């Protein structure tokens, strides 16, 4: 059995140190675990047997020294103290106490007069033995503290290991949930796209047929308006689904680029024309007359420009102009999209490239969106080894800047 963090009760002492309060059963478990980790020869049972041998060796050593000196040995207890120290050091507090007890009896029996008699109950013997017993007890006490500290460390180690296991399991669950969500996003987007494409195709076909009629009756005219609405809305839906598909590809790291050399000024001009036709807004372009060629995925760079220009149009009032500037800066082409809209508040600016983030202003407005355009834009630009940044001041407008390496 191993201690888990739920078995361990911890508290903080007056100095702010975290301590562990262990129950009796936990203490027993920890002790067993501790013993199982130390080498066999250092287990307490071996220590109890060695206590007798150590005391025997100390006794023989002391007797031998006395013989050699031919007179009374003044440091009688010294070899016995070494025996206690050995027992404490290698086998812990239990064997140390047994060694102390055996040593006291040996000292009393062999060295405290009258010889070969136990007199430890007399005051005289007690006084003579007291310094040795005190030394032994201090050794045992220090050993007990060391053992306690080791058990405490072991408890903390096990607690940490159990937290780590829990964290890993939770992490694994989160990863699975995340993968499932991504799979769902990808499957749902694919499945939605097919019927919507069919609906849109059918609506456009019907509109073309109506357009071919020379003098269409009034009910066909009203049907055309309905079909136009279906076409518009299904177009919007397709755009939203495309964004979701892009997100699922980005998250799976599967967004592929098909790069070729293109003139960035040319691409900007085309996108601006399309956006102007679509929104009827004034969008100006300031660009050099010479081409600025870069190795890019054309469709993806078009997507970047559409996102930035349509945002500039979407988040500014109709009478204002959107300005696009393209220029060369060293080995980079720089594209700036400037609007005179509401701008973005400072505290919201750091979230602007996050997936699904929309400013509270945008959320409460009639401007629709999933909050994915800028996240996708950033990913595309960075996959081209480029950089995207922006400056925005509430009330004055925003400028988004894309830098792409030139060919
Ligand atoms: P959305 O689909 O909401 O437009 P985006 O990822 O394109 O998503 O933009 C995220 C948010 O950033 C928008 O909801 C809007 O709040 C803010 N935003 C983006 N471009 C501009 C801009 N030109 N002016 C003001 N706010 C902007």
């Amino acid at each position: 059995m191993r201690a888990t963090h739920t078995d361990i009760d911890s508290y903080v002492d007056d100095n702010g140190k975290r301590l562990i309060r262990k129950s009796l059963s936990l203490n027993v478990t920890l002790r067993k675990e501790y013993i199982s980790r130390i080498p066999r020869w250092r287990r307490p049972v071996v220590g109890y047997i060695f206590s007798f041998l150590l005391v025997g060796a100390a006794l023989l050593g002391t007797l031998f020294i006395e013989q050699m000196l031919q007179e009374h040995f003044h440091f009688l207890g010294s070899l016995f103290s070494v025996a206690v120290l050995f027992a404490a050091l290698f086998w812990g507090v239990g064997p140390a106490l047994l060694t102390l007890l055996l040593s006291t009896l040996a000292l009393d029996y062999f060295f405290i007069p009258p010889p070969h008699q136990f007199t430890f109950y007399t005051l005289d013997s007690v006084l003579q033995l007291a310094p040795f017993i005190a030394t032994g007890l201090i050794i045992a006490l220090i050993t007990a503290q060391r053992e306690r500290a080791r058990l405490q460390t072991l408890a903390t180690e096990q607690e940490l290991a159990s937290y780590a296991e829990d964290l890993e399991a939770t992490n694994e669950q989160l990863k699975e949930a995340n993968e499932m969500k991504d799979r769902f996003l990808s499957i749902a987007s694919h499945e939605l796209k097919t019927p919507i494409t069919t609906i849109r195709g059918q609506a456009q076909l019907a509109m073309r047929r109506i357009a071919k009629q020379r003098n269409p009756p009034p009910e066909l005219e009203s049907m055309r308006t309905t079909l136009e609405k279906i076409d518009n809305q299904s177009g919007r839906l397709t755009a939203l689904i495309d964004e979701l598909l892009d997100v699922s590809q980005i998250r799976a790291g599967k967004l592929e680029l098909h790069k070729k050399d293109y003139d960035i000024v040319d691409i900007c001009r085309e996108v601006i024309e399309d956006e102007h036709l679509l929104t009827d807004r004034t969008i100006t372009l300031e660009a050099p007359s010479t081409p600025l060629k870069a190795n890019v995925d054309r469709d993806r760079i078009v997507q970047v420009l559409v996102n930035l220009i349509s945002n500039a149009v979407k988040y500014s009032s109709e009478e204002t102009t959107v300005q696009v500037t393209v220029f060369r800066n060293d080995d980079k082409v720089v594209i700036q999209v400037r609007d005179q809209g509401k701008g973005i508040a400072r505290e919201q600016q750091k979230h602007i490239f996050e997936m699904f983030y929309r400013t509270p202003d945008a959320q409460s407005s009639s401007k629709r969106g999933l909050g994915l355009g800028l996240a996708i834009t950033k990913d595309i630009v960075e996959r081209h080894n480029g950089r995207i940044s922006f400056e925005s001041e509430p009330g004055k407008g925003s400028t988004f800047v894309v830098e792409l390496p030139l060919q």
Side-chain angles (χ1 to χ4, degrees):
M1 188 185 118
R2 224 183 69 176
T4 66
H5 62 265
T6 41
D7 303 333
I8 294 170
D9 181 15
S10 64
Y11 66 101
V12 175
D13 74 0
D14 294 343
N15 302 321
K17 199 172 147 199
R18 190 170 163 278
L19 296 171
I20 290 170
R21 191 183 285 136
K22 302 190 280 317
S23 68
L24 192 65
S25 66
L26 177 63
N27 241 327
V28 172
T29 314
L30 285 173
R31 192 164 281 280
K32 273 187 194 157
E33 168 82 20
Y34 172 63
I35 288 171
S36 73
R37 284 188 187 191
I38 54 176
R40 272 172 197 278
W41 67 270
R42 286 193 59 192
R43 301 218 168 142
V45 189
V46 181
Y48 288 120
I49 298 166
F50 261 83
S51 299
F52 289 93
L53 297 178
L54 283 171
V55 174
L59 178 62
L60 286 178
T62 313
L63 287 172
F64 177 72
I65 293 171
E66 266 203 332
Q67 279 282 310
M68 292 284 289
L69 291 176
Q70 295 287 330
E71 58 179 274
H72 184 64
F73 178 30
H74 293 288
F75 301 104
L76 276 174
S78 52
L79 284 186
F80 290 96
S81 295
V82 172
V84 176
L85 197 65
F86 257 70
L89 219 59
F90 292 119
W91 293 285
V93 70
L97 285 174
L98 179 64
T99 312
L100 178 63
L101 177 72
L102 294 175
S103 301
T104 311
L105 292 176
L107 278 169
D108 181 24
Y109 189 78
F110 288 100
F111 302 104
I112 293 179
H116 307 297
Q117 245 181 358
F118 285 116
T119 52
F120 53 80
Y121 41 83
T122 62
L123 182 65
D124 194 38
S125 292
V126 169
L127 286 177
Q128 288 196 58
L129 286 169
F132 170 71
I133 294 173
T135 313
L137 285 177
I138 289 169
I139 293 172
L141 197 75
I142 293 170
T143 313
Q145 276 177 346
R146 257 173 40 132
E147 274 178 21
R148 225 182 122 233
R150 275 200 204 119
L151 288 186
Q152 189 94 12
T153 312
L154 194 65
T156 315
E157 239 176 56
Q158 293 200 348
E159 188 190 14
L160 279 179
S162 124
Y163 271 126
E165 269 171 26
D166 277 8
L167 256 179
E168 207 170 307
T170 315
N171 214 13
E172 210 47 49
Q173 281 173 355
L174 275 176
K175 241 163 99 187
E176 266 173 36
N178 221 11
E179 274 167 18
M180 236 168 78
K181 193 191 73 197
D182 285 347
R183 264 204 307 280
F184 166 76
L185 200 67
S186 163
I187 293 169
S189 318
H190 270 293
E191 292 303 312
L192 284 171
K193 203 166 171 179
T194 323
I196 286 166
T197 313
T198 314
I199 293 170
R200 205 172 178 205
Q202 293 293 324
Q204 285 171 349
L205 188 69
M207 279 195 308
R208 275 202 296 276
R209 281 192 184 145
I210 293 171
K212 275 185 194 162
Q213 301 255 339
R214 286 240 174 91
N215 293 311
E219 49 289 4
L220 269 191
E221 268 304 326
S222 77
M223 192 180 280
R224 193 163 72 172
T225 321
T226 312
L227 286 169
E228 267 171 11
K229 279 185 189 157
I230 292 175
D231 183 39
N232 271 341
Q233 293 303 320
S234 47
R236 249 180 57 75
L237 255 178
T238 310
L240 290 178
I241 291 168
D242 281 342
E243 277 195 332
L244 286 177
L245 268 173
D246 281 347
V247 165
S248 76
Q249 280 185 331
I250 288 172
R251 291 181 70 98
K254 286 182 189 159
L255 194 89
E256 280 179 19
L257 297 181
H258 306 284
K259 291 188 186 173
K260 275 188 187 167
D261 292 343
Y262 290 103
D263 176 14
I264 299 295
V265 180
D266 227 29
I267 300 179
C268 287
R269 199 171 289 124
E270 262 179 54
V271 174
I272 289 171
E273 266 170 34
D274 287 350
E275 286 300 304
H276 169 67
L277 283 176
L278 220 71
T279 61
D280 210 22
R281 287 281 297 271
T282 313
I283 308 167
T284 62
L285 173 67
E286 197 180 305
S289 49
T290 49
L292 288 175
K293 285 207 170 179
N295 191 247
V296 294
D297 182 321
R298 193 180 189 285
D299 291 346
R300 292 297 180 185
I301 294 301
V302 166
Q303 192 178 353
V304 165
L305 290 164
V306 168
N307 277 342
L308 296 180
I309 296 174
S310 64
N311 273 352
V313 167
K314 197 155 75 166
Y315 300 111
S316 63
S317 59
E318 285 186 11
E319 21 341 309
T320 59
T321 307
V322 171
Q323 294 165 283
V324 180
T325 313
V326 186
F327 59 91
R328 183 190 183 133
N329 183 10
D330 286 338
D331 51 354
K332 283 175 285 195
V333 51
V334 183
I335 309 162
Q336 288 180 342
V337 180
R338 175 172 299 143
D339 67 58
Q340 294 153 25
K342 276 189 165 183
I344 305 157
R346 195 156 294 277
E347 64 278 10
Q348 290 153 10
Q349 291 187 1
K350 57 178 178 289
H351 302 293
I352 224 76
F353 293 109
E354 288 170 10
M355 279 185 185
F356 299 105
Y357 180 79
R358 303 198 77 211
T359 59
D361 237 18
Q363 283 180 42
S364 58
S365 74
S366 58
K367 318 285 180 192
R368 304 228 181 109
L370 290 178
L372 290 174
L374 284 182
I376 296 168
T377 300
K378 184 169 191 277
D379 193 80
I380 295 173
V381 171
E382 284 173 356
R383 269 169 211 265
H384 280 85
N385 300 319
R387 227 166 60 92
I388 183 164
S389 57
F390 72 97
E391 274 175 20
S392 186
E393 208 176 311
K396 291 200 173 157
S398 317
T399 305
F400 282 81
V401 184
V402 171
E403 291 173 66
L404 294 170
L406 277 169
Q407 194 182 20

